Amino acid sequence: MTKGSFSHQHAGLYRRDLLIIAGTAAAALASSSHRAAAASGETAIKIEEVRRDEDVFAYLKRIKGGFTQKAYQQVIGAANEFKEGDQTIGVGAEDDATRLHARALLTNTKIGELYEHPLFEDSLQRLIWQTTDQAQFEKVKDWTMGRLKDFLLNEPEESIKAIMTGLTSDTIGCVPKLMTNQELISLSSKIFNVMPGTKMGAKGYMGARIQPNSPTDHPEDIVWQVFDAFSYATGDIVIGTNPVDSTVDSVVTVERALKDIVDTFALGDVIPWCVLAHIDVQAEVHEDFPGTVSTMFQSLAGTDDCNKIFDITNDKILKYASAKAGERYGLYFETGQGSEFTNGVANGVDMMVLEARKYGFSRAVGIELAKVQPKGAWLHVNDVAGFIGPEVFKTREQLVRCCLEDMVMGKLHGLIIGLDICTTLHMTVSLEDLDWCQDQILPANPAYLIALPTKNDPMLSYLTTSFQDHVRVRDKFGFKVNDAMWEFYKRIGIVGEDGSYTANYGDPLWVYYQYRLAKGDGRSKDAVYAEGREKMQEVEARGVDLATGHGAEIWDLNPALAAKVKSLYDDAKLSLWAELTPEFIAAVPNAVPVRTLSRDRNDYIAHPTTGETISPETAAEIEKVRELWGDDIPKGQIVISDGLNAKAIMDEGHLAPFLEEMRKLLSDAGVSVGDKNIVVTSGRVRAGYRIGEMLYAKADPDSLRGILHIIGERPGTMHHAYSVYITVAKGKRWAEKNIDHDITRLVSNVADTALDPKKAAKETLTIIREIVGKEVNGSRRYG
C-alpha cells in the first residue's frame, strides 16, 4: 500500500505516494529501458529434479557448476507461492513441481549458509547484519531451514523469542516459503510483541489506525471522521491522515486539528496522531511549530535504491529515531510487498524477502529508539498489502497469503505489525471479498487494522477496512481494544460499564457533543446537535462519507450508505474501462494525439509497463513537435493522459479550466510553454518522463526544463479526480534518459468537486517556483 499524500517540497516519493502513482499511472512494472535489468519479465524458472538431502548450494554446483548470484536468487524466489510480481522479476517458479523442488532445496539449506550468501548486499543489508544478535545467531547457524520451521511451529513463544533476534531478514524472509497458510496462522497466533505500557500487540487485542483522509485536506473532514470512529469505539494505536498537500503550512494545519481532538479529550498519553507527509516535512513542522507533531511516519523500502526514491537513507531514519529522545511516541512505518519491483529496483530479489528486509530496517530503528525512549520504543509497522494492483498479485487468495506471510515476518522481527487488508479498484477483489479476506486473516491476530467510515477511501480511492468491520471482527474473534482507549469509550458514553454498546453507538453527533462539553461549551445538547448536523452535511458535500447508525446487524452500514458505496464501486469499474473519445481529443486545443504500447484497455490494465512507453508509430509525432521548436526550446510542455480514469479528464469543467489558468499563470511568470498539448491514450506517469526525454534531449544541459503531466487518478470516489505530475530537471538529466519518480512532485485530487482546477493551477505554479528555488539555493532536505 505505500499508495495519497505527496510532498510538494522534497525530492522523492514515499509509500502512500506510490498508492496513487501505481494506481493512476505509473509505478507499475517499472520496465523503462534504464530499469530493464530489474524488471525484465524473464521467463519463469524450472527445476526438473532434486536429489535427496540436496541443499540450494549443492544444487547450484551440480546444475551450474558453482554458485551464481542470479541462479541463487531464482531458486530462493521459486519457493514462493505464485505472485505475478515475482514472475516479472524473473524469480517465479514455472510450475508447482518447480515450487516444491525449490522448497525441498531450501528446507535442507543451513541458516549460516544463507547468512554468508545475502540475496543482495547494500548498506541496508549491512545494517541488518549489524543489528542481528550474534550470540543468538551462533545458536542457530548450523540449523537447516527445515529444523527452524519445525522449531517455530512446535516450540512455545518464549523459546522462539530466545532465538529470533539471531535471525537475519533473509532467513526470516525464507520462513513463510516453507509454510502453509494454516501453519502461518498457527505461528503468528503465538508470537506477540507488545507496545510498552499498553495492550496493543498483545494476544487477544486488535486495534485500529483511524485514517481520516480528505480529498482537500479540509480539517473539518478529518475531524468529523475521527468523531465518527470514536462513535463506533474504533481507534487506539494512532490517528493518521494521508495529506493531499504536504507543504509545511498545510501539514501543520492538519496536525493542529488532530492535536486539538487528543488534547480536548485528555488522550495525550493514550493515542498519538500523525500526518503522513514525508518525514522531512514532519521534521520541519516540528521545528517551526513545536508541540504539533506526535508520532512521525515514513514509508520504508527493502533496498537502498528504492529508499532513495523515497528520499531516505538508513542514517537519516536512525537520526530521526535518536531525535525522539525522552518522548513517549516514536516512529510509524508503512511497508508492503512490491514497492521495489514497481520501481524497477528489486535487484533480482523476490518480493517476500525484500519485505522482510523492510522489517529488518524497522528492527534496527527500534533498537536505536529503545536507547532514547524512557518507557520503551514506541514503534509500529503497517503492512499495506494489495496497495499497488494486479501487476503484483491479483486475487483475494493471494491477498490473504501476502498478509499472513507479512504478519509472520514482522512478528519474527520483534515488531508490532498491523495490516491494511486492502485492494485497488482495478483488481478483481470485491467489497464482499474483503470480508472473506478479513475472516481468513484475523485468526493470525494482527496488532491492528486500518479504519475508515466505509471500505472506500474518499481520497486514495481504494478499498480497505471500515469502522464497522472492526465491530464485526471484534465480535467474531473476541478481540479487544487497548484498555486505556476502551476506558475512554466508556467515559464518553459509547460503551457501557458492562462493555456493551450504548444508544450513542454510531452517533458522531454525540461524540461532537462530548467534545464541545470538554471544551466548556455551555450550549444545550439540541444547539450543539444542530450545529453538528450542519457541519456533517458540509463534510459529506465535499465527498467524504460519514457512517451513522447501522443496518440489520450493528456491523452493517446503514442501508442508504451501503447503497452509495456500492454505486461508487460500480462507477469505478465503469471509469476504469472508459477511454478518451476521438471527439474529446479533437476538442483539446492544439492536440497532438499519441499512444503507448498498450494494445487496448485490457492490455493497459493487465500489463502496466505497456503504458509507460510511447509507441514507435506515434513517437514521430513527438519528434515533429521537437522539430518545430528548432533552437527555441520552451521551458515546459503539457502532457495529458487518461491514466486509470479517462472520465476524470473528460468530465466537463475539469481539464479546460486548468489548462487555461495554467497557461496564463506561466505566461505571466515569464515561463515559455510549448503551444501543443500532447494527449496520450493508455498513458501512465512514466510515459510523461519518456516524452520529456525525447523533447529535451538537446536542451541546454544547465537549463531547467519541465513536464506537466495531467493524468486521470484511480477511480472510486464521486470526484473523478486527476493529478498533475510536475517534473523539472536540467537538460543534462533529460538527455541522460534516467528521469523517474524521485524528482517528481504532485498536485492531486483535482476536480470541480474537490481541488478546484484553477486553484490547482496556482498550486502547481507555487511548486514549480519551489523546485526552481531549491535547484538554485539547495535545501537541507535534499542532503
Side-chain angles (χ1 to χ4, degrees):
M1 28 62 165
T2 112
K3 60 177 18 128
S5 39
F6 291 84
S7 174
H8 294 157
Q9 293 188 323
H10 73 93
L13 304 175
Y14 42 103
R15 192 158 200 285
R16 282 290 182 166
D17 297 351
L18 295 174
L19 180 61
I20 288 284
I21 288 184
T24 57
L29 300 184
S31 66
S32 44
S33 59
H34 58 288
R35 301 222 183 247
S40 58
E42 297 178 41
T43 57
I45 70 166
K46 189 172 183 64
I47 300 175
E48 297 283 359
E49 54 87 23
V50 296
R51 295 177 179 175
R52 182 181 177 84
D53 298 328
E54 191 171 39
D55 69 5
V56 169
F57 302 99
Y59 170 79
L60 292 176
K61 183 176 182 180
R62 176 168 63 86
I63 298 298
K64 300 290 184 180
F67 178 84
T68 70
Q69 188 71 16
K70 181 178 178 180
Y72 175 49
Q73 292 172 331
Q74 288 177 322
V75 172
I76 297 296
N80 283 346
E81 282 293 309
F82 171 76
K83 294 191 188 85
E84 281 76 7
D86 284 337
Q87 296 293 88
T88 305
I89 294 169
V91 296
E94 181 175 301
D95 49 34
D96 287 339
T98 293
R99 191 168 290 110
L100 289 172
H101 289 152
R103 288 172 180 168
L105 295 171
L106 182 58
T107 297
N108 294 328
T109 301
K110 290 185 177 181
I111 291 172
E113 289 285 346
L114 293 174
Y115 187 99
E116 295 296 329
H117 296 85
L119 286 157
F120 177 69
E121 184 174 347
D122 57 4
S123 68
L124 176 54
Q125 177 61 60
R126 291 186 286 275
L127 176 65
I128 291 167
W129 278 328
Q130 292 164 13
T131 51
T132 299
D133 187 318
Q134 290 300 309
Q136 299 304 326
F137 170 71
E138 287 296 320
K139 296 178 182 179
V140 300
K141 68 179 183 179
D142 292 326
W143 293 11
T144 64
M145 287 298 297
R147 180 180 174 185
L148 176 62
K149 172 190 171 180
D150 292 341
F151 178 88
L152 295 173
L153 291 175
N154 296 316
E155 295 299 317
E157 180 185 33
E158 56 269 25
S159 298
I160 294 171
K161 285 193 170 183
I163 61 100
M164 69 186 195
T165 57
L167 303 177
T168 66
S169 298
D170 277 14
T171 299
I172 291 173
C174 287
V175 167
K177 299 173 189 287
L178 303 179
M179 292 187 178
T180 65
N181 281 14
Q182 193 53 52
E183 287 171 333
L184 291 171
I185 290 170
S186 175
L187 178 53
S188 181
S189 62
K190 69 175 176 180
I191 303 175
F192 295 94
N193 306 302
V194 184
M195 191 77 78
T198 79
K199 291 292 188 178
M200 290 180 289
K203 184 178 180 64
Y205 284 80
M206 199 283 295
R209 170 203 152 186
I210 302 171
Q211 183 169 289
N213 291 342
S214 166
T216 56
D217 288 340
H218 199 295
E220 289 289 332
D221 296 353
I222 294 163
V223 165
W224 274 92
Q225 287 179 81
V226 178
F227 294 158
D228 202 9
F230 287 173
S231 77
Y232 290 99
T234 296
D236 55 2
I237 197 163
V238 66
I239 306 170
T241 185
N242 301 91
V244 177
D245 179 354
S246 288
T247 56
V248 168
D249 288 346
S250 180
V251 169
V252 73
T253 298
V254 177
E255 295 268 17
R256 284 171 169 165
L258 295 176
K259 174 178 165 54
D260 173 67
I261 296 172
V262 172
D263 289 349
T264 300
F265 281 127
L267 295 172
D269 289 331
V270 177
I271 187 169
W273 66 91
C274 184
V275 177
L276 281 70
H278 189 277
I279 197 166
D280 289 344
V281 177
Q282 295 169 77
E284 188 165 340
V285 172
H286 175 70
E287 292 168 8
D288 295 347
F289 305 93
T292 59
V293 174
S294 182
T295 286
M296 292 178 69
F297 159 84
Q298 183 53 45
S299 299
L300 299 184
T303 65
D304 290 353
D305 292 334
C306 197
N307 280 318
K308 180 181 178 182
I309 293 172
F310 292 166
D311 191 28
I312 61 169
T313 62
N314 302 343
D315 288 344
K316 176 185 282 191
I317 299 302
L318 291 169
K319 286 176 182 176
Y320 277 126
S322 298
K324 281 289 181 179
E327 296 184 23
R328 172 165 175 74
Y329 299 120
L331 296 174
Y332 163 35
F333 297 139
E334 283 193 352
T335 70
Q337 292 188 33
S339 55
E340 301 81 14
F341 149 62
T342 60
N343 282 283
V345 285
N347 296 294
V349 182
D350 66 89
M351 296 189 299
M352 189 156 62
V353 168
L354 289 173
E355 181 70 7
R357 286 163 57 98
K358 298 165 199 173
Y359 302 148
F361 194 173
S362 302
R363 180 170 69 182
V365 175
I367 292 170
E368 190 68 25
L369 202 58
K371 298 175 184 176
V372 300
Q373 292 207 299
K375 295 183 179 180
W378 186 287
L379 181 144
H380 60 96
V381 175
N382 178 33
D383 167 41
V384 189
F387 84 105
I388 294 174
E391 58 269 30
V392 175
F393 58 80
K394 293 182 178 180
T395 69
R396 67 179 192 169
E397 290 79 12
Q398 289 173 311
L399 174 57
V400 168
R401 177 72 189 185
C402 182
C403 288
L404 295 177
E405 292 167 348
D406 295 353
M407 287 279 293
V408 162
M409 293 190 297
K411 288 188 174 188
L412 286 175
H413 277 90
L415 301 174
I416 297 154
I417 182 165
L419 297 174
D420 193 347
I421 305 173
C422 63
T423 179
T424 66
L425 285 153
H426 59 312
M427 290 174 68
T428 59
V429 182
S430 69
L431 290 162
E432 293 74 23
D433 286 336
L434 280 181
D435 290 343
W436 179 86
C437 291
Q438 291 166 9
D439 289 348
Q440 308 308 304
I441 294 165
L442 266 294
N445 204 162
Y448 64 96
L449 302 179
I450 294 297
L452 36 127
T454 75
K455 281 182 169 69
N456 188 34
D457 190 292
M459 186 269 276
L460 294 176
S461 304
Y462 80 129
L463 303 178
T464 183
T465 316
S466 72
F467 300 152
Q468 285 166 268
D469 288 330
H470 280 260
V471 176
R472 184 182 74 83
V473 297
R474 291 198 302 249
D475 178 82
K476 181 168 184 173
F477 297 99
F479 290 133
K480 299 176 183 179
V481 173
N482 184 40
D483 291 352
M485 201 68 189
W486 194 248
E487 288 303 312
F488 164 69
Y489 293 134
K490 289 182 177 179
R491 172 159 60 89
I492 64 171
I494 298 299
V495 177
E497 286 303 317
D498 63 354
S500 63
Y501 300 112
T502 70
N504 303 313
Y505 169 86
D507 184 3
L509 287 169
W510 172 260
V511 179
Y512 180 60
Y513 177 52
Q514 298 304 304
Y515 168 81
R516 294 308 312 169
L517 288 177
K519 282 191 169 293
D521 193 331
R523 289 178 296 166
S524 68
K525 177 183 174 183
D526 288 345
V528 174
Y529 263 53
E531 178 182 76
R533 288 190 188 96
E534 184 176 333
K535 289 178 178 290
M536 286 179 67
Q537 289 172 358
E538 292 170 354
V539 168
E540 291 180 326
R542 288 190 290 267
V544 177
D545 292 317
L546 297 173
T548 57
H550 59 81
E553 302 286 353
I554 64 170
W555 45 77
D556 295 333
L557 293 177
N558 72 65
L561 184 55
K564 181 178 180 182
V565 171
K566 179 63 165 58
S567 70
L568 289 172
Y569 178 85
D570 292 342
D571 178 70
K573 294 300 184 181
L574 293 174
S575 298
L576 182 66
W577 293 96
E579 297 181 332
L580 298 177
T581 66
E583 294 77 14
F584 174 81
I585 294 173
V588 174
N590 296 316
V592 178
V594 300
R595 293 191 60 91
T596 63
L597 294 178
S598 299
R599 296 187 304 272
D600 51 32
R601 197 70 180 164
N602 184 68
D603 190 32
Y604 174 77
I605 293 169
H607 306 103
T609 48
T610 63
E612 297 180 341
T613 304
I614 301 301
S615 71
E617 295 80 8
T618 59
E621 298 301 316
I622 298 171
E623 185 57 34
K624 288 178 184 177
V625 171
R626 171 66 188 87
E627 290 173 356
L628 286 173
W629 289 348
D631 294 330
D632 188 17
I633 302 174
K635 295 291 186 182
Q637 174 62 48
I638 292 174
V639 177
I640 303 160
S641 290
D642 46 9
L644 283 179
N645 191 354
K647 287 188 175 183
I649 303 297
M650 294 191 294
D651 281 1
E652 188 174 352
H654 278 204
L655 179 63
F658 177 84
L659 288 179
E660 180 181 346
E661 185 72 7
M662 193 75 254
R663 287 186 175 277
K664 178 180 181 299
L665 291 172
L666 290 171
S667 177
D668 291 346
V671 179
S672 58
V673 182
D675 61 352
K676 305 292 186 183
N677 290 304
I678 297 174
V679 182
V680 186
T681 296
S682 299
R684 294 180 180 265
V685 170
R686 285 195 173 103
Y689 303 157
R690 307 291 82 82
I691 289 171
E693 289 166 355
M694 285 186 268
L695 292 175
Y696 298 137
K698 298 179 182 179
D700 180 350
D702 297 317
S703 179
L704 293 170
R705 295 291 187 278
I707 292 289
L708 297 183
H709 192 174
I710 304 162
I711 189 164
E713 287 182 356
R714 184 196 305 271
T717 71
M718 61 171 271
H719 301 293
H720 287 178
Y722 61 84
S723 296
V724 183
Y725 288 79
I726 306 157
T727 308
V728 179
K730 291 182 178 180
K732 179 183 178 182
R733 179 76 186 268
W734 289 109
E736 290 170 348
K737 299 188 184 301
N738 63 357
I739 300 294
D740 210 69
H741 305 319
D742 58 322
I743 64 168
T744 293
R745 319 293 193 277
L746 179 91
V747 176
S748 63
N749 283 286
V750 185
D752 56 349
T753 54
L755 177 59
D756 180 81
K758 290 192 175 183
K759 291 182 179 178
K762 293 181 175 66
E763 188 173 334
T764 300
L765 181 61
T766 298
I767 294 167
I768 293 170
R769 284 174 167 155
E770 290 173 350
I771 294 170
V772 172
K774 286 178 170 54
E775 284 281 350
V776 173
N777 302 320
S779 165
R780 70 173 180 82
R781 285 181 290 166
Y782 288 108

